[in-house]
Amino acid sequence: MPDQMSPLIAITGPTASGKSALALQLGEELGAEIVTADSRQVYKLMDIGTAKPSAEEQARLPHHMIDLVYPDEPYTLALYQRQAYATIDEVLSRGKLPILAGGTPLYVNAVLEGWTIPEVEPDLGLRARLEAEAEAAGPEQLHRRLAELDPDAAAGILPSNTRRIVRALEVIERTGKPISAQQAKGPPPYRILTIVLDCERPELYRRIDQRVDRQIEQGLVEEVRGLHNMGYGFDLPSMSGIGYRQIGEYLTGRATLEQAVQRIKWDTHSFVRHQVNWFRRARTAAHIDATNSDPLPEARRILEDFLSGAGSNKAT
């Protein structure tokens, strides 16, 4: 079991800020292992659209918490948290340094803040009704309802994220209490250093657009078509993620490829605005501006101070 002096490094930030590359560079220098905090990379067969570490990158350094379930299998935040803690402890037990790396705010903070996550069984009838409302009137309407019932929960969920909005409303209706009030926090048994990579908005958008173009060149359309041909419908939570949903619209004739690609870029821009707002609250984290310079030297200095005991922090 870890103790309060067991170190855990977290490297996070918005999409395309360079956190995965930084984690890989630092991890190689330290002989560390990566514990991924990405809600999409848990799915097998979904590689290009989730920007999953390549086979070459995984060969350079052990990566954990990816390829856990098939796209039609359920996966919850509570399950991720349990498995992430078990993985972190296992890495520490071997004398290795775990690096939690990823940009899914809920996954990152559930681990770093020790959330108590409500275990409420799904109400499929209620869920279907809420999803039908979102389909008919748009998820923004449900998000406004959530904001009235639980402003704290709504602030942490993107207005277009139907699945998480529905789940929050489901928990509220089933328990009669705000979901945010049921998510108590208790510090996990680690000494934590959190590094957040910041990047100015225009540069971030430029990197995102380049990455989307690169994913198309790498075969994103073929990946989505192959998944659909295997029987994974576009109504699955896994297939509703950015990239898969828009290419699905193209494959079903509801958009041209050009329109789908542009929508991926715009929706990713919207998502990173949400990420930036979330990570801005991490006031105790070490923020590094990665807009115009390599964050590695500054991250290396911060990490050396932390591991020597000269500095430490707790996430938000």
Side-chain angles (χ1 to χ4, degrees):
M1 291 293 291
D3 57 41
Q4 291 292 341
M5 296 305 293
S6 297
L8 171 63
I9 310 303
I11 298 177
T12 190
T15 298
S17 60
K19 56 188 175 294
S20 297
L22 178 61
L24 188 61
Q25 289 172 305
L26 289 174
E28 286 186 307
E29 292 182 5
L30 296 165
E33 300 187 16
I34 305 295
V35 181
T36 302
D38 188 295
S39 63
R40 298 299 174 180
Q41 292 182 6
V42 300
Y43 294 111
K44 301 176 183 180
L45 310 176
M46 304 178 74
D47 301 330
I48 298 171
T50 64
K52 195 175 292 177
S54 66
E56 184 269 335
E57 289 169 331
Q58 293 186 50
R60 287 167 57 188
L61 202 67
H63 285 69
H64 305 277
M65 300 303 291
I66 59 176
D67 292 332
L68 302 178
V69 294
Y70 284 99
D72 58 350
E73 294 180 293
Y75 197 80
T76 66
L77 177 62
L79 180 56
Y80 171 80
Q81 185 195 50
R82 288 197 300 272
Q83 292 181 332
Y85 281 147
T87 300
I88 290 167
D89 293 348
E90 194 272 332
V91 171
L92 287 167
S93 74
R94 291 186 281 102
K96 297 288 188 177
L97 177 67
I99 298 179
L100 185 74
T104 301
L106 288 175
Y107 278 30
V108 172
N109 286 284
V111 172
L112 298 185
E113 297 179 346
W115 289 4
T116 300
I117 302 168
E119 297 276 4
V120 177
E121 289 295 318
D123 183 329
L124 299 182
L126 171 60
R127 186 173 292 184
R129 175 169 60 79
L130 292 171
E131 289 173 347
E133 286 186 45
E135 181 70 23
E140 294 80 7
Q141 179 171 303
L142 287 185
H143 191 268
R144 286 192 291 271
R145 185 187 308 170
L146 177 62
E148 293 174 0
L149 297 172
D150 190 346
D152 289 339
I157 301 175
L158 199 66
S160 60
N161 194 330
T162 302
R163 182 166 63 97
R164 294 202 181 279
I165 296 168
V166 166
R167 176 57 177 167
L169 290 170
E170 180 184 39
V171 171
I172 292 169
E173 185 155 334
R174 289 288 304 276
T175 65
K177 296 183 292 185
I179 188 173
S180 61
Q182 302 178 61
Q183 293 175 328
K185 300 176 183 178
Y190 313 111
R191 189 168 69 95
I192 299 171
L193 169 68
T194 305
I195 295 175
V196 177
L197 294 186
D198 299 320
C199 187
E200 293 178 6
R201 200 72 58 85
E203 172 62 14
L204 202 56
Y205 289 171
R206 185 189 69 81
R207 294 183 193 179
I208 288 167
D209 293 350
Q210 284 187 337
R211 189 172 81 164
V212 173
D213 291 337
R214 189 164 59 249
Q215 288 174 324
I216 295 297
E217 293 171 2
Q218 292 170 340
L220 178 58
V221 173
E222 290 73 18
E223 177 173 273
V224 179
R225 181 184 288 115
L227 287 163
H228 193 247
N229 289 342
M230 293 171 66
Y232 297 115
F234 294 118
D235 58 337
L236 289 171
S238 60
M239 296 287 278
S240 69
I242 296 176
Y244 295 90
R245 180 177 69 252
Q246 295 84 353
I247 295 300
E249 292 173 354
Y250 161 63
L251 294 175
T252 54
R254 290 180 288 169
T256 65
L257 180 57
E258 182 180 4
Q259 289 170 334
V261 170
Q262 187 59 62
R263 178 54 62 186
I264 295 172
K265 295 176 180 178
W266 285 340
D267 287 350
T268 309
H269 295 176
S270 177
F271 177 61
V272 299
R273 289 195 293 272
H274 166 70
Q275 287 177 303
V276 167
N277 290 335
W278 187 293
F279 292 125
R280 190 175 289 141
R281 302 179 212 161
R283 301 188 184 281
T284 61
H287 286 257
I288 300 176
D289 188 346
T291 305
N292 298 308
S293 59
D294 183 356
L296 180 60
E298 179 67 8
R300 187 186 286 132
R301 183 193 63 76
I302 293 168
L303 186 53
E304 287 174 354
D305 287 346
F306 172 77
L307 293 176
S308 70
S312 66
N313 78 317
K314 287 285 181 180
T316 55

